[in-house]
Amino acid sequence: MKKKLVFTMLLFAVLSGGLFAAEGDREDRGRARPDRNRRPRRDMDEMRKMMQQRIMTAIKDKLAVNDDEWAVVKPRVETVMELKQKAQLGANRGMMNVFRRRGGPERNIEELEGSRKAAAELEEALEKENPDVDEIKKELSELRAARAKEQQKLLEAQKKLKEILTVVQEAQMVSMGLLK
């Protein structure tokens, strides 16, 4: 259970990228250091790619597959990881907005997709002065449908991954939290 939690947290941190990354360097935050001891900061995208590569290498090692087998398994693992991350972020969207003020910065809902877009549209309906109950019911229904669709895609991807794994490999993937 502890391994699964650590892996899930690590996976979330890698895939969410720079959501919580601070911009600017140390001088901007008031903690200046002499330049002689400073190493250049790595780009967040570069760090994310490196971490994803490490995770994929760890998964490959855990599954004990050769390079030819990994060429088949890797795309399915990546698909499951991506869909799992989208599902987790979409489900936690409401908690991120608990502390957001009404009338805050405008969001471009058109750039969002799936359950994120449906959640944003529901939030928009809820923020109105006198929310329309019928509109809220409609938006709530659309959010639930979008989440169900994403969950179905995840289940299908997990099924496709499971089809090519041995029982031991499947157990490894379940212990990592990538399969149910």
Side-chain angles (χ1 to χ4, degrees), residues 14-80:
V14 169
L15 296 177
S16 64
L19 287 178
F20 303 107
E23 293 184 20
D25 57 14
R26 289 178 182 251
E27 286 81 13
D28 291 342
R29 292 181 279 173
R31 292 183 262 152
R33 288 188 169 197
D35 286 339
R36 61 185 159 90
N37 293 332
R38 295 193 61 206
R39 290 190 282 170
R41 295 186 70 183
R42 287 198 172 129
D43 181 60
M44 286 304 294
D45 288 335
E46 179 186 341
M47 289 176 61
R48 186 178 324 118
K49 286 177 186 175
M50 287 173 49
M51 195 60 135
Q52 284 175 328
Q53 190 174 25
R54 287 182 185 157
I55 289 173
M56 296 307 279
T57 301
I59 291 172
K60 179 183 176 192
D61 292 345
K62 280 278 193 191
L63 296 179
V65 293
N66 62 37
D67 291 338
D68 293 333
E69 293 168 330
W70 184 241
V72 175
V73 173
K74 182 181 177 185
R76 295 182 188 197
V77 170
E78 289 173 332
T79 301
V80 168

Side-chain angles (χ1 to χ4, degrees), residues 28 33 44 64 76 80 88 103 124 138 143-144 153 171 175:
D28 291 342
R33 288 188 169 197
M44 286 304 294
R76 295 182 188 197
V80 168
Q88 287 173 342
E124 196 173 79
K138 176 184 146 278
L143 174 58
R144 287 180 174 146
K153 282 183 183 179
S175 72

